[in-house]
Amino acid sequence: MQSEESANKATSTGVLSVNPSDGSFRFEEAVRRGRAPRNPKLFDGKFVSMVRMSNGRYQCYIKSMKRKLNRENFAFGVYSEICSALSIID
């Protein structure tokens, strides 16, 4: 179960700078122009793509298939790409 604090976290875009005199950090958030991409694509393979949804969850999609395909090769390709996609979010 997520805590209320972690559920409200959002990713911000901006610049992180270091003050050379005391070593403190300062983050300046960039002004957003337009809206952010709805579901940014994190992985795009031959068989599978993965996106991060606006609620923070991940969604995998299987791309369209040819009518005649080698089932074993297709299934192994999907498996391999899902493993690769999941390694991105660890």
Side-chain angles (χ1 to χ4, degrees):
M1 183 171 178
Q2 285 185 329
S3 68
E4 185 178 327
E5 180 181 321
S6 66
N8 293 331
K9 289 183 180 178
T11 304
S12 299
T13 304
V15 176
L16 183 65
S17 57
V18 179
N19 184 343
S21 63
D22 65 356
S24 63
F25 292 92
R26 179 178 176 172
F27 178 75
E28 296 178 34
E29 189 172 359
V31 176
R32 182 178 286 173
R33 294 183 182 159
R35 70 172 187 86
R38 184 160 180 221
N39 293 328
K41 193 174 282 190
L42 302 174
F43 180 85
D44 189 23
K46 181 178 177 183
F47 303 107
V48 174
S49 64
M50 183 175 71
V51 300
R52 187 182 70 233
M53 299 185 300
S54 58
N55 64 4
R57 293 184 175 188
Y58 299 96
Q59 179 75 47
C60 287
Y61 294 95
I62 295 180
K63 296 183 177 183
S64 60
M65 304 172 258
K66 295 179 182 177
R67 187 173 174 108
K68 294 186 180 190
L69 58 101
N70 182 319
R71 292 180 184 132
E72 289 78 21
N73 288 344
F74 176 77
F76 185 76
V78 169
Y79 164 77
S80 298
E81 288 191 0
I82 289 175
C83 288
S84 296
L86 292 175
S87 70
I88 291 172
I89 61 174
D90 282 338

